[in-house]
Amino acid sequence: MKLAPIDAGGEPLDARAMRSAAQEVAYARPVGRSLLGHGEDTIHLIVSAEVHADRLRPFRHALAQAARRRGWTLHGTGTGGAASSLDELRRSGMQSGYAATVAHARNIEQLNWNELGADLVFYGLPWTMETLEILFPGASRLFDADNTLIRESLDAYFDCGGDTRRAAAQLAVHRTTLYYRLDRAQQLLGEDWAQGARRAGLQLALRLAMLIRNI
């Protein structure tokens, strides 16, 4: 469970404050054996693999309240895979941290590592404009202020599986307008932007850009 400061007058997000917050919410842990710890901006709760995600909600609620009292906010909750060794536990911790970040970016309460779907592709990558350029050379042009409508139209086009009728309806524009914007995308990105590997790379770049905007 990742935390972030939201109030300049709140407590600093340091080791002492994190330890205090962890101690404050220890009572809300699910019944049974568990371990509670913290990192620089993360509260770690280790429970049995048999504990269903629904049983973590009281703990998450208690932590959200403790965070608000300190001028912080809860930036997503994630769960990692089951672990039976220290190496697996370390990996599970990294997975849960990433799942928490994606949950926050998607604006949902909680995500399991196994629920990330295509967003697993970005695990371990820096969420930067440079990564967007690696995924699709030229993608950064879509983030110029003058090209916002083109980027939004591409997002809708991909979200609708390339169905221009549905994409135009989603954007609340005439299909002629959408075709014009897709033509402009071709001028910006090259004639082959909608073909094969280039198309897949552009979809990934736009997906990562959406996640970056929302964190």
Side-chain angles (χ1 to χ4, degrees):
M1 301 178 185
K2 298 183 74 67
L3 299 162
I6 55 172
D7 183 355
E11 288 188 46
L13 199 61
D14 57 22
R16 182 197 60 78
M18 289 294 290
R19 183 164 55 251
S20 171
Q23 292 171 346
E24 182 179 330
V25 299
Y27 76 91
R29 291 178 293 178
V31 174
R33 290 188 299 175
S34 64
L35 290 173
L36 181 61
H38 66 86
E40 291 183 356
D41 63 352
T42 309
I43 295 290
H44 300 283
L45 177 62
I46 303 171
V47 297
S48 167
E50 299 174 356
V51 174
H52 192 272
D54 288 344
R55 291 178 58 193
L56 299 177
R57 285 179 178 167
F59 181 80
R60 186 185 188 282
H61 178 70
L63 182 58
Q65 289 185 318
R68 279 194 295 270
R69 285 192 289 270
R70 290 166 169 80
W72 308 340
T73 185
L74 192 57
H75 264 204
T77 302
T79 55
S84 58
S85 68
L86 286 177
D87 285 342
E88 290 179 355
L89 185 59
R90 188 178 300 109
R91 182 167 61 250
S92 180
M94 295 171 64
Q95 292 172 349
S96 64
Y98 180 72
T101 298
V102 176
H104 178 65
R106 291 188 191 175
N107 195 31
I108 58 179
E109 182 178 278
Q110 181 171 307
L111 267 179
N112 185 282
W113 172 257
N114 296 323
E115 299 171 334
L116 293 176
D119 290 336
L120 280 170
V121 172
F122 310 122
Y123 179 61
L125 295 177
W127 287 19
T128 63
M129 192 63 70
E130 288 75 16
T131 300
L132 301 185
E133 280 291 311
I134 292 171
L135 293 169
F136 188 95
S140 60
R141 298 171 194 159
L142 294 171
F143 298 91
D144 294 341
D146 293 341
N147 296 326
T148 300
L149 291 177
I150 297 173
R151 186 187 73 243
E152 292 175 349
S153 297
L154 287 169
D155 280 332
Y157 176 77
F158 286 133
D159 284 347
C160 295
D163 185 327
T164 54
R165 184 186 299 275
R166 286 174 53 211
Q170 180 174 309
L171 293 165
V173 300
H174 194 277
R175 269 201 291 174
T176 302
T177 301
L178 176 59
Y179 288 137
Y180 169 75
R181 294 178 185 175
L182 294 178
D183 285 342
R184 287 282 294 119
Q186 181 173 300
Q187 295 171 21
L188 282 171
L189 304 174
E191 295 184 358
D192 61 347
W193 68 266
Q195 299 175 13
R198 290 271 289 170
R199 178 190 182 108
L202 181 56
Q203 284 185 271
L204 289 173
L206 290 172
R207 176 65 182 180
L208 179 56
M210 182 278 292
L211 294 173
I212 293 172
R213 287 197 302 273
N214 291 341
I215 58 175

